[in-house]
Amino acid sequence: DASAGEGGTEHSLVDGDSIPPAVPRDESLDEDNFDKLVEFRDTHGHCDVPLSNAELGPWVKDLRAAYTLHSEEDDASLTANFIQRLEEIGFRWTIPLDKDAAWAAKFEQLKQYAEANGDCFVPRKHKELGQWVGYQRRLYSKRACQEKSTLTDARIAELESIGFEWKILKHPKKAGPVFI
């Protein structure tokens, strides 16, 4: 059911939470970012901007969410013309999940982090990469306990080749325990 709040209506979700109605898109921001997306495509050969790209990642994620609303609820926040322009430059509304490619991309991020910082101790403020590093450690622990794990010998070797440590009781640069 819909509930009215001061100044407008809210759309009800299944659990009773509510979300505000769709906000109109900022067309000048979309145009600026479209141009940046074309530059990204020209540089990388595709429009699959990772979320970790601070400049375009959140915008691309927002586009995909708006497109889903556009498709499912006849939401007009994306115009047919803008959708067509995006598709003409090779923008994909959904990205097939390639787990090997995703792992390799995170490994490359970790490698860059290690080169810049001298270690693989990724702090929690690096949310995506920090979570991924913690997940690799959990997979390693599962494997050590003879539990099912997707962490292969090759991936262990790759991680260790850049100085990755599996068990950390204390961060070497800080006092106190690190909870992973």
Side-chain angles (χ1 to χ4, degrees):
D1 72 84
S3 61
E6 281 188 53
T9 62
E10 294 180 339
H11 302 283
S12 178
L13 298 176
V14 176
D15 294 331
D17 294 334
S18 59
I19 56 171
V23 176
R25 297 194 62 81
D26 181 342
E27 290 182 29
S28 65
L29 177 65
D30 280 346
E31 287 303 320
D32 289 345
N33 283 336
F34 180 86
D35 293 340
K36 292 174 186 173
L37 182 60
V38 170
E39 290 174 25
F40 180 93
R41 185 219 41 208
D42 292 346
T43 301
H44 300 281
H46 59 79
C47 294
D48 300 338
V49 180
L51 189 55
S52 60
N53 179 311
E55 186 173 35
L56 287 174
W59 178 75
V60 165
K61 180 180 178 184
D62 180 57
L63 277 180
R64 289 190 174 111
Y67 182 78
T68 300
L69 282 174
H70 177 83
S71 300
E72 293 175 359
E73 299 178 11
D74 199 27
D75 175 38
S77 67
L78 284 177
T79 66
N81 179 49
F82 194 62
I83 291 169
Q84 180 180 356
R85 288 175 56 213
L86 287 162
E87 290 172 348
E88 285 172 356
I89 66 166
F91 186 81
R92 299 188 301 174
W93 296 105
T94 58
I95 306 289
L97 181 60
D98 178 344
K99 291 181 180 182
D100 290 332
W103 192 93
K106 286 294 183 204
F107 176 76
E108 284 303 314
Q109 287 178 12
L110 179 60
K111 196 169 157 183
Q112 290 173 5
Y113 177 89
E115 289 169 2
N117 295 283
D119 61 48
C120 294
F121 303 113
V122 182
R124 289 189 182 130
K125 69 180 179 182
H126 295 276
K127 289 186 180 183
E128 282 186 43
L129 186 57
Q131 288 174 354
W132 183 82
V133 163
Y135 183 63
Q136 300 313 300
R137 289 192 176 104
R138 284 190 299 280
L139 289 174
Y140 184 83
S141 293
K142 281 184 164 189
R143 192 179 151 122
C145 295
Q146 306 298 316
E147 294 178 31
K148 184 178 179 182
S149 172
T150 56
L151 190 63
T152 64
D153 289 338
R155 289 181 176 175
I156 290 170
E158 278 188 89
L159 288 164
E160 289 175 348
S161 76
I162 61 169
F164 191 85
E165 294 184 37
W166 297 104
K167 296 185 181 193
I168 301 174
L169 299 177
K170 291 188 178 202
H171 190 289
K173 295 180 183 172
K174 297 180 182 175
V178 172
F179 301 100
I180 299 174

